[in-house]
Amino acid sequence: MPSLTHYVVIDLEATCCDDDSILREDTEIIEIGAVLVDATTLTPGPEFQSFVRPTRNRTLTPFCTRLTTITQAEVDAAPRFPQAIAALANFLRGTQALFCSWGGYDRNQFRRDATRHRVKLPLGEQHKNLKEGFSRRLGESRQYGTGQALRRVGLGFHGTHHRAIDDARNIARLLPYVLGTVPIPGVPAGHR
């Protein structure tokens, strides 16, 4: 395998509800946010953002709009999943990037949508779960949300929570802490 050039930190937003009207297996991606992070310097670089038009639950629930701030007009004007994935593949062209996300949700949701639309994801088979990595670095079993992890290392959240591009940017800021290149306050050096 060619050597790693980047980490690609990805966050997704999907159709959702607060009344069980949309089953987990029927949720669909409505926003993809990605930040390429240089594998050597861990400096965030180019970004990718796309809204995605859902096909199963075409109308966003009021809960989904409140949670994500994504509007019906934004998803109505967006490309469908296959076109959004083609754009993501184009964004990643020329890189050897390791797919990273905060937890396993994003990987699983990508797989669901790719299977549903019969498209191949441009992310490879490997995935780094940064949420688990963060807990390992702390030596804790507790799972931290992105905002909690940022506070734990003394950083504030930038942007709008539950917007994929803003979440991806904030997760990229946590990557050096997860990989151990920046010490976490209160954690002994060399602790993995």
Side-chain angles (χ1 to χ4, degrees), residues 15 25-30 32 51-58 78-86 108-121:
T15 54
E25 55 269 12
D26 290 330
T27 59
E28 299 171 88
I29 295 168
I30 57 173
I32 301 169
F51 293 113
V52 182
R53 188 173 356 149
T55 58
R56 288 183 170 206
N57 297 288
R58 294 180 181 166
R80 296 210 186 274
F81 184 75
Q83 291 75 35
I85 288 303
N108 295 335
Q109 186 65 51
F110 254 145
R111 287 179 173 173
R112 263 194 299 277
D113 279 78
T115 299
R116 185 178 299 135
H117 291 278
R118 296 183 176 98
V119 297
K120 184 173 171 28
L121 295 172

mmCIF file of all heavy atoms in Angstrom, residues 15 25-30 32 51-58 78-86 108-121:
data_model
loop_
_atom_site.group_PDB
_atom_site.id
_atom_site.type_symbol
_atom_site.label_atom_id
_atom_site.label_comp_id
_atom_site.label_asym_id
_atom_site.label_seq_id
_atom_site.Cartn_x
_atom_site.Cartn_y
_atom_site.Cartn_z
ATOM 1 N N THR A 15 -30.903 12.200 7.774
ATOM 2 C CA THR A 15 -32.298 12.390 8.138
ATOM 3 C C THR A 15 -32.517 11.803 9.528
ATOM 4 O O THR A 15 -31.909 10.797 9.893
ATOM 5 C CB THR A 15 -33.233 11.707 7.120
ATOM 6 O OG1 THR A 15 -32.851 10.336 6.977
ATOM 7 C CG2 THR A 15 -33.192 12.403 5.773
ATOM 8 N N GLU A 25 -32.153 2.172 10.048
ATOM 9 C CA GLU A 25 -31.714 1.634 8.745
ATOM 10 C C GLU A 25 -32.298 2.413 7.565
ATOM 11 O O GLU A 25 -31.869 2.229 6.428
ATOM 12 C CB GLU A 25 -32.029 0.142 8.620
ATOM 13 C CG GLU A 25 -33.469 -0.236 8.835
ATOM 14 C CD GLU A 25 -33.813 -0.570 10.283
ATOM 15 O OE1 GLU A 25 -33.011 -0.303 11.202
ATOM 16 O OE2 GLU A 25 -34.920 -1.103 10.485
ATOM 17 N N ASP A 26 -33.247 3.297 7.821
ATOM 18 C CA ASP A 26 -33.832 4.107 6.754
ATOM 19 C C ASP A 26 -33.292 5.538 6.718
ATOM 20 O O ASP A 26 -33.701 6.335 5.871
ATOM 21 C CB ASP A 26 -35.357 4.156 6.897
ATOM 22 C CG ASP A 26 -35.998 2.819 6.577
ATOM 23 O OD1 ASP A 26 -35.431 2.068 5.755
ATOM 24 O OD2 ASP A 26 -37.066 2.517 7.157
ATOM 25 N N THR A 27 -32.395 5.877 7.629
ATOM 26 C CA THR A 27 -31.827 7.220 7.612
ATOM 27 C C THR A 27 -30.941 7.374 6.378
ATOM 28 O O THR A 27 -30.375 6.410 5.870
ATOM 29 C CB THR A 27 -31.018 7.515 8.886
ATOM 30 O OG1 THR A 27 -29.959 6.568 9.000
ATOM 31 C CG2 THR A 27 -31.899 7.476 10.127
ATOM 32 N N GLU A 28 -30.845 8.615 5.898
ATOM 33 C CA GLU A 28 -30.062 8.907 4.701
ATOM 34 C C GLU A 28 -29.185 10.126 4.943
ATOM 35 O O GLU A 28 -29.611 11.084 5.596
ATOM 36 C CB GLU A 28 -30.980 9.223 3.520
ATOM 37 C CG GLU A 28 -31.907 8.108 3.129
ATOM 38 C CD GLU A 28 -32.917 8.600 2.119
ATOM 39 O OE1 GLU A 28 -32.609 8.554 0.918
ATOM 40 O OE2 GLU A 28 -34.008 9.043 2.551
ATOM 41 N N ILE A 29 -28.016 10.109 4.380
ATOM 42 C CA ILE A 29 -27.086 11.226 4.506
ATOM 43 C C ILE A 29 -27.683 12.462 3.836
ATOM 44 O O ILE A 29 -28.186 12.384 2.714
ATOM 45 C CB ILE A 29 -25.725 10.874 3.872
ATOM 46 C CG1 ILE A 29 -25.061 9.732 4.660
ATOM 47 C CG2 ILE A 29 -24.810 12.099 3.808
ATOM 48 C CD1 ILE A 29 -23.861 9.119 3.967
ATOM 49 N N ILE A 30 -27.606 13.593 4.545
ATOM 50 C CA ILE A 30 -28.042 14.860 3.965
ATOM 51 C C ILE A 30 -26.912 15.894 3.912
ATOM 52 O O ILE A 30 -27.063 16.939 3.286
ATOM 53 C CB ILE A 30 -29.273 15.448 4.694
ATOM 54 C CG1 ILE A 30 -28.999 15.645 6.187
ATOM 55 C CG2 ILE A 30 -30.500 14.581 4.449
ATOM 56 C CD1 ILE A 30 -30.108 16.387 6.942
ATOM 57 N N ILE A 32 -22.353 15.907 3.846
ATOM 58 C CA ILE A 32 -21.019 15.323 4.002
ATOM 59 C C ILE A 32 -20.060 16.476 4.235
ATOM 60 O O ILE A 32 -20.027 17.432 3.458
ATOM 61 C CB ILE A 32 -20.584 14.551 2.737
ATOM 62 C CG1 ILE A 32 -21.573 13.431 2.407
ATOM 63 C CG2 ILE A 32 -19.154 14.009 2.903
ATOM 64 C CD1 ILE A 32 -21.350 12.811 1.029
ATOM 65 N N PHE A 51 -24.267 19.098 0.511
ATOM 66 C CA PHE A 51 -25.554 18.604 0.953
ATOM 67 C C PHE A 51 -25.915 17.443 0.038
ATOM 68 O O PHE A 51 -25.368 17.320 -1.063
ATOM 69 C CB PHE A 51 -26.626 19.698 0.880
ATOM 70 C CG PHE A 51 -26.391 20.817 1.850
ATOM 71 C CD1 PHE A 51 -26.077 22.088 1.410
ATOM 72 C CD2 PHE A 51 -26.475 20.590 3.218
ATOM 73 C CE1 PHE A 51 -25.850 23.116 2.307
ATOM 74 C CE2 PHE A 51 -26.243 21.607 4.128
ATOM 75 C CZ PHE A 51 -25.930 22.872 3.663
ATOM 76 N N VAL A 52 -26.810 16.585 0.483
ATOM 77 C CA VAL A 52 -27.229 15.411 -0.281
ATOM 78 C C VAL A 52 -28.748 15.342 -0.233
ATOM 79 O O VAL A 52 -29.343 15.463 0.844
ATOM 80 C CB VAL A 52 -26.612 14.118 0.295
ATOM 81 C CG1 VAL A 52 -27.024 12.908 -0.538
ATOM 82 C CG2 VAL A 52 -25.092 14.224 0.378
ATOM 83 N N ARG A 53 -29.354 15.127 -1.406
ATOM 84 C CA ARG A 53 -30.819 15.042 -1.474
ATOM 85 C C ARG A 53 -31.274 13.639 -1.096
ATOM 86 O O ARG A 53 -30.902 12.669 -1.749
ATOM 87 C CB ARG A 53 -31.295 15.378 -2.883
ATOM 88 C CG ARG A 53 -32.798 15.500 -2.966
ATOM 89 C CD ARG A 53 -33.301 15.989 -4.307
ATOM 90 N NE ARG A 53 -32.274 16.337 -5.252
ATOM 91 C CZ ARG A 53 -32.401 16.210 -6.564
ATOM 92 N NH1 ARG A 53 -33.506 15.745 -7.087
ATOM 93 N NH2 ARG A 53 -31.418 16.571 -7.360
ATOM 94 N N PRO A 54 -32.067 13.494 -0.044
ATOM 95 C CA PRO A 54 -32.547 12.169 0.348
ATOM 96 C C PRO A 54 -33.609 11.662 -0.633
ATOM 97 O O PRO A 54 -34.284 12.457 -1.293
ATOM 98 C CB PRO A 54 -33.130 12.391 1.737
ATOM 99 C CG PRO A 54 -33.513 13.835 1.762
ATOM 100 C CD PRO A 54 -32.557 14.548 0.849
ATOM 101 N N THR A 55 -33.748 10.343 -0.710
ATOM 102 C CA THR A 55 -34.724 9.750 -1.629
ATOM 103 C C THR A 55 -35.832 8.995 -0.902
ATOM 104 O O THR A 55 -36.919 8.860 -1.432
ATOM 105 C CB THR A 55 -34.029 8.787 -2.616
ATOM 106 O OG1 THR A 55 -33.346 7.778 -1.875
ATOM 107 C CG2 THR A 55 -33.051 9.535 -3.498
ATOM 108 N N ARG A 56 -35.586 8.507 0.291
ATOM 109 C CA ARG A 56 -36.601 7.746 1.033
ATOM 110 C C ARG A 56 -37.492 8.653 1.861
ATOM 111 O O ARG A 56 -38.706 8.503 1.877
ATOM 112 C CB ARG A 56 -35.945 6.729 1.965
ATOM 113 C CG ARG A 56 -35.350 5.571 1.227
ATOM 114 C CD ARG A 56 -34.775 4.565 2.193
ATOM 115 N NE ARG A 56 -34.438 3.378 1.434
ATOM 116 C CZ ARG A 56 -34.391 2.183 1.925
ATOM 117 N NH1 ARG A 56 -34.641 1.978 3.206
ATOM 118 N NH2 ARG A 56 -34.072 1.152 1.174
ATOM 119 N N ASN A 57 -36.875 9.518 2.614
ATOM 120 C CA ASN A 57 -37.588 10.485 3.452
ATOM 121 C C ASN A 57 -37.223 11.863 2.921
ATOM 122 O O ASN A 57 -36.334 12.527 3.446
ATOM 123 C CB ASN A 57 -37.190 10.323 4.920
ATOM 124 C CG ASN A 57 -37.573 8.968 5.457
ATOM 125 O OD1 ASN A 57 -38.741 8.693 5.663
ATOM 126 N ND2 ASN A 57 -36.591 8.100 5.651
ATOM 127 N N ARG A 58 -37.905 12.264 1.881
ATOM 128 C CA ARG A 58 -37.529 13.472 1.138
ATOM 129 C C ARG A 58 -37.782 14.761 1.901
ATOM 130 O O ARG A 58 -37.120 15.761 1.659
ATOM 131 C CB ARG A 58 -38.266 13.494 -0.201
ATOM 132 C CG ARG A 58 -37.826 12.376 -1.102
ATOM 133 C CD ARG A 58 -38.550 12.386 -2.417
ATOM 134 N NE ARG A 58 -38.064 11.253 -3.195
ATOM 135 C CZ ARG A 58 -38.652 10.803 -4.268
ATOM 136 N NH1 ARG A 58 -39.742 11.385 -4.718
ATOM 137 N NH2 ARG A 58 -38.150 9.771 -4.917
ATOM 138 N N ALA A 78 -29.767 19.901 -3.669
ATOM 139 C CA ALA A 78 -28.512 19.153 -3.570
ATOM 140 C C ALA A 78 -28.460 17.976 -4.559
ATOM 141 O O ALA A 78 -29.494 17.491 -5.013
ATOM 142 C CB ALA A 78 -28.344 18.633 -2.140
ATOM 143 N N PRO A 79 -27.244 17.494 -4.841
ATOM 144 C CA PRO A 79 -27.117 16.286 -5.646
ATOM 145 C C PRO A 79 -27.579 15.065 -4.857
ATOM 146 O O PRO A 79 -27.615 15.094 -3.620
ATOM 147 C CB PRO A 79 -25.617 16.208 -5.936
ATOM 148 C CG PRO A 79 -24.968 16.941 -4.806
ATOM 149 C CD PRO A 79 -25.939 18.025 -4.423
ATOM 150 N N ARG A 80 -27.922 14.018 -5.567
ATOM 151 C CA ARG A 80 -28.231 12.748 -4.906
ATOM 152 C C ARG A 80 -26.915 12.123 -4.452
ATOM 153 O O ARG A 80 -25.830 12.555 -4.816
ATOM 154 C CB ARG A 80 -28.990 11.826 -5.854
ATOM 155 C CG ARG A 80 -30.350 12.410 -6.233
ATOM 156 C CD ARG A 80 -31.344 11.307 -6.517
ATOM 157 N NE ARG A 80 -32.605 11.826 -7.027
ATOM 158 C CZ ARG A 80 -33.605 12.246 -6.274
ATOM 159 N NH1 ARG A 80 -33.485 12.248 -4.966
ATOM 160 N NH2 ARG A 80 -34.724 12.677 -6.811
ATOM 161 N N PHE A 81 -27.029 11.064 -3.642
ATOM 162 C CA PHE A 81 -25.853 10.428 -3.037
ATOM 163 C C PHE A 81 -24.795 10.012 -4.068
ATOM 164 O O PHE A 81 -23.611 10.313 -3.864
ATOM 165 C CB PHE A 81 -26.299 9.235 -2.184
ATOM 166 C CG PHE A 81 -25.182 8.569 -1.448
ATOM 167 C CD1 PHE A 81 -24.622 9.143 -0.319
ATOM 168 C CD2 PHE A 81 -24.669 7.357 -1.894
ATOM 169 C CE1 PHE A 81 -23.577 8.533 0.366
ATOM 170 C CE2 PHE A 81 -23.627 6.737 -1.221
ATOM 171 C CZ PHE A 81 -23.081 7.328 -0.087
ATOM 172 N N PRO A 82 -25.143 9.343 -5.171
ATOM 173 C CA PRO A 82 -24.091 8.942 -6.119
ATOM 174 C C PRO A 82 -23.278 10.124 -6.659
ATOM 175 O O PRO A 82 -22.051 10.019 -6.805
ATOM 176 C CB PRO A 82 -24.862 8.234 -7.242
ATOM 177 C CG PRO A 82 -26.087 7.709 -6.569
ATOM 178 C CD PRO A 82 -26.454 8.792 -5.565
ATOM 179 N N GLN A 83 -23.936 11.242 -6.927
ATOM 180 C CA GLN A 83 -23.216 12.410 -7.432
ATOM 181 C C GLN A 83 -22.355 13.044 -6.337
ATOM 182 O O GLN A 83 -21.241 13.506 -6.598
ATOM 183 C CB GLN A 83 -24.204 13.440 -8.003
ATOM 184 C CG GLN A 83 -24.887 13.011 -9.284
ATOM 185 C CD GLN A 83 -25.977 11.962 -9.077
ATOM 186 O OE1 GLN A 83 -26.690 11.986 -8.065
ATOM 187 N NE2 GLN A 83 -26.090 11.028 -10.014
ATOM 188 N N ALA A 84 -22.864 13.071 -5.108
ATOM 189 C CA ALA A 84 -22.076 13.614 -3.995
ATOM 190 C C ALA A 84 -20.837 12.760 -3.743
ATOM 191 O O ALA A 84 -19.751 13.288 -3.481
ATOM 192 C CB ALA A 84 -22.937 13.709 -2.736
ATOM 193 N N ILE A 85 -20.979 11.440 -3.868
ATOM 194 C CA ILE A 85 -19.826 10.549 -3.671
ATOM 195 C C ILE A 85 -18.816 10.715 -4.794
ATOM 196 O O ILE A 85 -17.601 10.670 -4.567
ATOM 197 C CB ILE A 85 -20.300 9.081 -3.530
ATOM 198 C CG1 ILE A 85 -20.985 8.902 -2.172
ATOM 199 C CG2 ILE A 85 -19.156 8.089 -3.681
ATOM 200 C CD1 ILE A 85 -20.127 9.268 -0.966
ATOM 201 N N ALA A 86 -19.288 10.924 -6.010
ATOM 202 C CA ALA A 86 -18.370 11.180 -7.129
ATOM 203 C C ALA A 86 -17.576 12.462 -6.874
ATOM 204 O O ALA A 86 -16.362 12.520 -7.140
ATOM 205 C CB ALA A 86 -19.138 11.262 -8.445
ATOM 206 N N ASN A 108 -20.683 3.475 9.305
ATOM 207 C CA ASN A 108 -21.862 2.633 9.104
ATOM 208 C C ASN A 108 -22.895 3.311 8.213
ATOM 209 O O ASN A 108 -23.496 2.667 7.352
ATOM 210 C CB ASN A 108 -22.487 2.265 10.451
ATOM 211 C CG ASN A 108 -21.563 1.397 11.279
ATOM 212 O OD1 ASN A 108 -20.711 0.698 10.752
ATOM 213 N ND2 ASN A 108 -21.721 1.467 12.587
ATOM 214 N N GLN A 109 -23.110 4.614 8.403
ATOM 215 C CA GLN A 109 -24.083 5.338 7.577
ATOM 216 C C GLN A 109 -23.605 5.401 6.124
ATOM 217 O O GLN A 109 -24.398 5.223 5.201
ATOM 218 C CB GLN A 109 -24.324 6.742 8.123
ATOM 219 C CG GLN A 109 -25.436 7.495 7.403
ATOM 220 C CD GLN A 109 -26.803 6.858 7.593
ATOM 221 O OE1 GLN A 109 -27.212 6.574 8.707
ATOM 222 N NE2 GLN A 109 -27.515 6.640 6.501
ATOM 223 N N PHE A 110 -22.316 5.630 5.918
ATOM 224 C CA PHE A 110 -21.767 5.615 4.560
ATOM 225 C C PHE A 110 -22.032 4.264 3.894
ATOM 226 O O PHE A 110 -22.448 4.203 2.732
ATOM 227 C CB PHE A 110 -20.253 5.859 4.583
ATOM 228 C CG PHE A 110 -19.831 7.219 4.112
ATOM 229 C CD1 PHE A 110 -18.743 7.840 4.695
ATOM 230 C CD2 PHE A 110 -20.481 7.875 3.076
ATOM 231 C CE1 PHE A 110 -18.316 9.092 4.266
ATOM 232 C CE2 PHE A 110 -20.065 9.128 2.638
ATOM 233 C CZ PHE A 110 -18.982 9.728 3.243
ATOM 234 N N ARG A 111 -21.782 3.196 4.623
ATOM 235 C CA ARG A 111 -21.988 1.854 4.058
ATOM 236 C C ARG A 111 -23.457 1.608 3.710
ATOM 237 O O ARG A 111 -23.771 1.033 2.671
ATOM 238 C CB ARG A 111 -21.495 0.792 5.029
ATOM 239 C CG ARG A 111 -19.988 0.715 5.101
ATOM 240 C CD ARG A 111 -19.536 -0.317 6.093
ATOM 241 N NE ARG A 111 -18.102 -0.496 6.022
ATOM 242 C CZ ARG A 111 -17.417 -1.230 6.856
ATOM 243 N NH1 ARG A 111 -18.036 -1.870 7.850
ATOM 244 N NH2 ARG A 111 -16.117 -1.352 6.729
ATOM 245 N N ARG A 112 -24.362 2.046 4.592
ATOM 246 C CA ARG A 112 -25.798 1.888 4.314
ATOM 247 C C ARG A 112 -26.191 2.597 3.028
ATOM 248 O O ARG A 112 -26.854 2.042 2.165
ATOM 249 C CB ARG A 112 -26.634 2.447 5.474
ATOM 250 C CG ARG A 112 -27.089 1.424 6.473
ATOM 251 C CD ARG A 112 -28.186 1.970 7.386
ATOM 252 N NE ARG A 112 -27.797 3.115 8.177
ATOM 253 C CZ ARG A 112 -27.135 3.043 9.329
ATOM 254 N NH1 ARG A 112 -26.765 1.885 9.829
ATOM 255 N NH2 ARG A 112 -26.830 4.137 10.001
ATOM 256 N N ASP A 113 -25.773 3.860 2.915
ATOM 257 C CA ASP A 113 -26.145 4.635 1.731
ATOM 258 C C ASP A 113 -25.471 4.097 0.469
ATOM 259 O O ASP A 113 -26.094 4.058 -0.592
ATOM 260 C CB ASP A 113 -25.811 6.110 1.939
ATOM 261 C CG ASP A 113 -26.864 6.828 2.755
ATOM 262 O OD1 ASP A 113 -26.869 6.670 3.987
ATOM 263 O OD2 ASP A 113 -27.686 7.536 2.165
ATOM 264 N N ALA A 114 -24.221 3.670 0.582
ATOM 265 C CA ALA A 114 -23.524 3.116 -0.585
ATOM 266 C C ALA A 114 -24.204 1.838 -1.066
ATOM 267 O O ALA A 114 -24.379 1.629 -2.280
ATOM 268 C CB ALA A 114 -22.059 2.850 -0.249
ATOM 269 N N THR A 115 -24.607 0.990 -0.148
ATOM 270 C CA THR A 115 -25.312 -0.244 -0.503
ATOM 271 C C THR A 115 -26.656 0.085 -1.149
ATOM 272 O O THR A 115 -27.017 -0.473 -2.187
ATOM 273 C CB THR A 115 -25.516 -1.123 0.747
ATOM 274 O OG1 THR A 115 -24.225 -1.467 1.267
ATOM 275 C CG2 THR A 115 -26.291 -2.388 0.417
ATOM 276 N N ARG A 116 -27.374 1.003 -0.555
ATOM 277 C CA ARG A 116 -28.694 1.400 -1.063
ATOM 278 C C ARG A 116 -28.603 1.939 -2.492
ATOM 279 O O ARG A 116 -29.454 1.672 -3.320
ATOM 280 C CB ARG A 116 -29.278 2.462 -0.129
ATOM 281 C CG ARG A 116 -30.682 2.891 -0.443
ATOM 282 C CD ARG A 116 -31.185 3.912 0.577
ATOM 283 N NE ARG A 116 -31.215 3.361 1.919
ATOM 284 C CZ ARG A 116 -30.783 3.982 3.016
ATOM 285 N NH1 ARG A 116 -30.287 5.196 2.945
ATOM 286 N NH2 ARG A 116 -30.856 3.414 4.197
ATOM 287 N N HIS A 117 -27.558 2.714 -2.771
ATOM 288 C CA HIS A 117 -27.412 3.358 -4.082
ATOM 289 C C HIS A 117 -26.486 2.589 -5.028
ATOM 290 O O HIS A 117 -26.236 3.052 -6.142
ATOM 291 C CB HIS A 117 -26.907 4.796 -3.901
ATOM 292 C CG HIS A 117 -27.917 5.697 -3.273
ATOM 293 N ND1 HIS A 117 -28.932 6.294 -3.992
ATOM 294 C CD2 HIS A 117 -28.090 6.080 -1.978
ATOM 295 C CE1 HIS A 117 -29.668 7.026 -3.170
ATOM 296 N NE2 HIS A 117 -29.187 6.915 -1.950
ATOM 297 N N ARG A 118 -25.938 1.464 -4.529
ATOM 298 C CA ARG A 118 -25.058 0.608 -5.340
ATOM 299 C C ARG A 118 -23.865 1.386 -5.902
ATOM 300 O O ARG A 118 -23.587 1.343 -7.092
ATOM 301 C CB ARG A 118 -25.837 -0.056 -6.469
ATOM 302 C CG ARG A 118 -26.904 -1.003 -5.987
ATOM 303 C CD ARG A 118 -27.590 -1.699 -7.150
ATOM 304 N NE ARG A 118 -28.546 -2.663 -6.688
ATOM 305 C CZ ARG A 118 -29.853 -2.442 -6.600
ATOM 306 N NH1 ARG A 118 -30.344 -1.262 -6.946
ATOM 307 N NH2 ARG A 118 -30.662 -3.385 -6.181
ATOM 308 N N VAL A 119 -23.209 2.118 -5.006
ATOM 309 C CA VAL A 119 -22.000 2.851 -5.391
ATOM 310 C C VAL A 119 -20.849 2.429 -4.486
ATOM 311 O O VAL A 119 -21.055 1.994 -3.351
ATOM 312 C CB VAL A 119 -22.174 4.389 -5.328
ATOM 313 C CG1 VAL A 119 -23.228 4.861 -6.311
ATOM 314 C CG2 VAL A 119 -22.493 4.866 -3.933
ATOM 315 N N LYS A 120 -19.650 2.565 -5.004
ATOM 316 C CA LYS A 120 -18.443 2.247 -4.242
ATOM 317 C C LYS A 120 -17.947 3.522 -3.571
ATOM 318 O O LYS A 120 -17.879 4.573 -4.198
ATOM 319 C CB LYS A 120 -17.380 1.686 -5.197
ATOM 320 C CG LYS A 120 -16.110 1.238 -4.514
ATOM 321 C CD LYS A 120 -15.217 0.548 -5.540
ATOM 322 C CE LYS A 120 -13.832 0.222 -5.074
ATOM 323 N NZ LYS A 120 -13.539 -0.025 -3.730
ATOM 324 N N LEU A 121 -17.614 3.409 -2.307
ATOM 325 C CA LEU A 121 -17.091 4.554 -1.575
ATOM 326 C C LEU A 121 -15.611 4.750 -1.900
ATOM 327 O O LEU A 121 -14.871 3.776 -2.031
ATOM 328 C CB LEU A 121 -17.263 4.348 -0.066
ATOM 329 C CG LEU A 121 -18.701 4.297 0.434
ATOM 330 C CD1 LEU A 121 -18.738 3.898 1.903
ATOM 331 C CD2 LEU A 121 -19.381 5.645 0.230
#
